[in-house]
């Protein structure tokens, strides 16, 4: 359980999909397992499940138009995202299935405080559907990575990783399901370390 005097990590979560990683973080925060307050959930997709899931936890959630690019936030829209997150009091940003590249302005607004979860052992298989890439390549082990975000695609300093074996009879769906089980443990564990520690003093590997 958390020490009540402890500083709590004010977190903004960005996602484009169903939001199961958001739920894992929200559950860990609600149970007191991690000293995290999710102050805002934002999505670039008005129909994303993550927005409904945030509502069900009573957490503020917003769709914000991302601009016309399919792969990144455009400059003006990126400023809108920054403003909304700052106004909500977000100090750290967790990308939880947010499928757009963030640029320098966003990263400069939250220096060394933007993290991402990716369903592979980076630097293997960045980009879309990493679990399918793993099956197509034929690797025997893949996994999960949580890392600081830089302006590349699923790149930046690695914080923690977990391995997931690929089984002979895995389909992309069964492999992604097992990867997600590890994601849902690793993301809250990393946030707990970030809330408790200083950079470079992590005990996770
Ligand atoms: C997760 O598997 C996450 O690792 C992945 O999107 C999924 C979102 O699931 N992210 C990436 O591929 C980032 N390149 P969720 O909406 O259930 O959390």
């Amino acid at each position: 359980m958390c020490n009540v005097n402890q500083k709590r990590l004010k977190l903004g979560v960005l996602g484009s999909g169903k939001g199961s990683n958001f739920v894992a973080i929200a559950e860990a925060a609600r149970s007191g397992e991690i000293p995290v307050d999710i102050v805002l959930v934002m999505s670039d997709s008005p129909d994303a499940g993550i927005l409904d899931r945030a509502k069900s936890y009573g957490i503020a959630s917003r769709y914000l138009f991302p601009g016309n690019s399919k792969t990144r936030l455009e400059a003006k829209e990126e400023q809108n995202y920054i403003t909304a997150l700052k106004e909500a009091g977000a100090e750290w940003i967790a990308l939880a299935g947010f499928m757009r590249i963030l640029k320098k302005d966003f990263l400069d607004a939250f220096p060394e405080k933007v993290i991402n979860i990716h369903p592979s052992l980076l630097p293997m298989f960045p980009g879309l559907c990493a679990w399918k890439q793993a099956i197509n390549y034929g690797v025997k082990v893949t996994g999960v990575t949580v890392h600081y975000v830089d302006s590349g695609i699923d790149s930046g300093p690695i914080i923690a990783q977990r391995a997931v074996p690929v089984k002979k009879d895995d389909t992309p769906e069964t492999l992604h399901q097992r990867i997600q089980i590890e994601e849902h443990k690793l993301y809250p564990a990393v946030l707990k370390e970030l809330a408790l520690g200083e950079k470079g003093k992590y005990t996770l590997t």
Side-chain angles (χ1 to χ4, degrees):
M1 277 304 212
C2 301
N3 176 343
V4 283
N5 296 320
Q6 183 186 9
K7 186 171 175 337
R8 297 177 66 79
L9 191 151
K10 305 283 179 210
L11 187 69
V13 178
L14 303 189
S16 309
K18 64 184 192 289
S20 70
N21 278 288
F22 157 75
V23 169
I25 298 167
E27 279 294 332
R30 185 160 76 177
S31 71
E33 192 189 317
I34 62 174
V36 168
D37 294 326
I38 303 175
V39 296
L40 181 62
V41 172
M42 293 181 76
S43 184
D44 56 339
S45 164
D47 304 323
I50 192 170
L51 294 173
D52 289 334
R53 290 182 135 178
K55 281 191 200 99
S56 73
Y57 280 84
I59 292 172
S61 61
R62 281 179 75 176
Y63 157 72
L64 262 191
F65 178 62
N68 291 318
S69 163
K70 292 216 179 321
T71 55
R72 58 192 167 82
L73 290 178
E74 293 202 349
K76 187 169 110 250
E77 285 72 20
E78 192 169 62
Q79 283 305 325
N80 294 338
Y81 273 72
I82 294 168
T83 302
L85 288 160
K86 291 276 181 195
E87 281 177 2
E91 294 169 357
W92 283 81
I93 310 299
L95 307 185
F98 190 64
M99 296 311 202
R100 283 173 192 272
I101 300 163
L102 299 172
K103 296 192 306 303
K104 192 172 179 306
D105 282 357
F106 190 98
L107 300 175
D108 285 350
F110 303 97
E112 295 190 41
K113 289 200 163 43
V114 185
I115 61 173
N116 179 43
I117 191 158
H118 184 75
S120 77
L121 294 176
L122 289 171
M124 292 283 280
F125 311 133
L128 295 176
C129 301
W131 56 92
K132 273 192 196 154
Q133 297 186 53
I135 292 212
N136 290 345
Y137 198 95
V139 294
K140 306 300 177 201
V141 178
T142 183
V144 179
T145 303
V146 178
H147 64 97
Y148 286 101
V149 173
D150 66 15
S151 52
I153 296 177
D154 299 315
S155 59
I158 288 171
I159 300 172
Q161 293 185 306
R162 290 289 177 271
V164 175
V166 182
K167 296 182 180 170
K168 276 205 180 78
D169 56 354
D170 260 332
T171 63
E173 291 71 31
T174 60
L175 179 58
H176 191 212
Q177 277 164 14
R178 288 207 321 288
I179 289 173
Q180 288 224 283
I181 290 170
E182 290 306 313
E183 290 189 324
H184 300 160
K185 293 187 252 178
L186 189 61
Y187 222 174
V190 166
L191 285 162
K192 185 173 185 178
E193 291 258 316
L194 293 173
L196 298 179
E198 291 168 30
K199 194 180 174 199
K201 293 193 178 167
Y202 306 132
T203 55
L204 286 168
T205 54

